[in-house]
Amino acid sequence: MQTDPVKLQLLDAALPHVAFDGWSPATFDAAVAEVGLDPAHAATLCPRGSVDLAILSHEQGDAAMIDAMKAADLSDMRYSEKVAHAIRLRLAAVPDKEAVRRATALFALPHMSPDGARLIWGTADAIWTALGDTSDDINWYSKRATLSAVYGTVVLYWLGDTSPDGSATDAFIDRRIADVMQFEKVKAQLRDNPLLKPLTGPLGQLAARVKAPNRMPDFNDLPGVWREQ
């Protein structure tokens, strides 16, 4: 779905104010005034004011990441390297680090946490979808849940990173991906252990009943294990 261009204008006008006023009513009112938009019209575009603009800012970052992934040559990368590269592209798509800092504080509020979780999940889903996975079972969920946790910790680390060229964040991303790969290895060993078959067998049968949600025709599902290729 294409975003209303006027809403994008509001976002552009709001960003310079976010560093001072956060994603607040004051920021939204300033953006509306600068765009010259009727407040009633602005309210129809953004019923929650700056919250809707903060959400739009995140979604625009996801879209920019997807475009960058499509333009990148990932053919020589292992799967874990592709995921790490996607995370770096997502961070590079941020136009204003302070806006993300303020958004992180906003979505950490108890009544905003469902929106924050949905946005992080959406980023993870966008990455796996762009990488072209086809899983349709419980792995569809576990991959996104795992990557959501990884991306969430990466963002928090990145916000506090003062290293030259973000080198500390790059190293942190590699460590988090390595941790996930190690976890997947241990999980596979437990699954294949004959002594644990009485337990893992029934659990596997139960997990096989879980199916991924129906997808729109333009999207692909993604693989459920972090396995090198």
Side-chain angles (χ1 to χ4, degrees):
M1 181 182 297
Q2 192 170 11
T3 304
D4 190 311
V6 178
K7 193 172 180 179
L8 292 174
Q9 289 178 7
L10 282 174
L11 176 59
D12 290 340
L15 284 174
H17 298 276
V18 172
F20 303 99
D21 297 318
W23 295 99
S24 66
T27 291
F28 186 73
D29 291 343
V32 171
E34 289 183 18
V35 173
L37 191 64
D38 178 65
H41 185 193
T44 63
L45 292 174
C46 301
R48 294 194 292 172
S50 280
V51 171
D52 288 330
L53 293 182
I55 291 173
L56 176 61
S57 178
H58 185 97
E59 292 172 343
Q60 288 295 107
D62 285 349
M65 174 196 67
I66 293 172
D67 289 342
M69 290 178 68
K70 291 178 179 178
D73 182 6
L74 309 179
S75 58
D76 292 333
M77 293 184 183
R78 295 177 298 175
Y79 218 89
S80 59
E81 293 172 336
K82 294 178 182 179
V83 174
H85 185 65
I87 293 175
R88 293 186 176 99
L89 290 177
R90 181 60 183 84
L91 296 180
V94 173
D96 187 341
K97 194 170 186 177
E98 187 59 30
V100 175
R101 192 187 313 279
R102 293 296 191 127
T104 300
L106 172 67
F107 293 117
L109 297 173
H111 67 290
M112 295 300 302
S113 59
D115 289 285
R118 179 182 64 81
L119 291 174
I120 295 296
W121 181 276
T123 299
D125 182 46
I127 290 174
W128 290 124
T129 300
L131 290 178
D133 178 45
T134 56
S135 70
D136 61 357
D137 54 13
I138 194 172
N139 290 316
W140 188 92
Y141 298 93
S142 65
K143 283 310 294 172
R144 285 152 180 77
T146 302
L147 184 53
S148 293
V150 169
Y151 181 71
T153 59
V154 166
V155 170
L156 292 177
Y157 189 94
W158 170 73
L159 287 173
D161 182 12
T162 58
S163 63
D165 301 323
S167 57
T169 297
D170 281 339
F172 184 81
I173 292 171
D174 290 336
R175 292 197 299 272
R176 294 290 73 80
I177 298 297
D179 289 343
V180 173
M181 294 303 301
Q182 184 61 33
F183 173 76
E184 290 293 335
K185 183 183 296 186
V186 171
K187 189 171 70 174
Q189 292 172 345
L190 293 175
R191 184 180 61 243
D192 297 336
N193 190 326
L195 298 178
L196 297 178
K197 284 296 183 181
L199 176 62
T200 58
L203 289 177
Q205 294 175 2
L206 180 62
R209 297 175 179 270
V210 179
K211 298 299 180 182
N214 292 331
R215 306 289 289 175
M216 297 296 290
D218 290 338
F219 291 89
N220 295 312
D221 292 333
L222 304 169
V225 293
W226 296 58
R227 182 174 299 146
E228 300 290 355
Q229 294 183 348

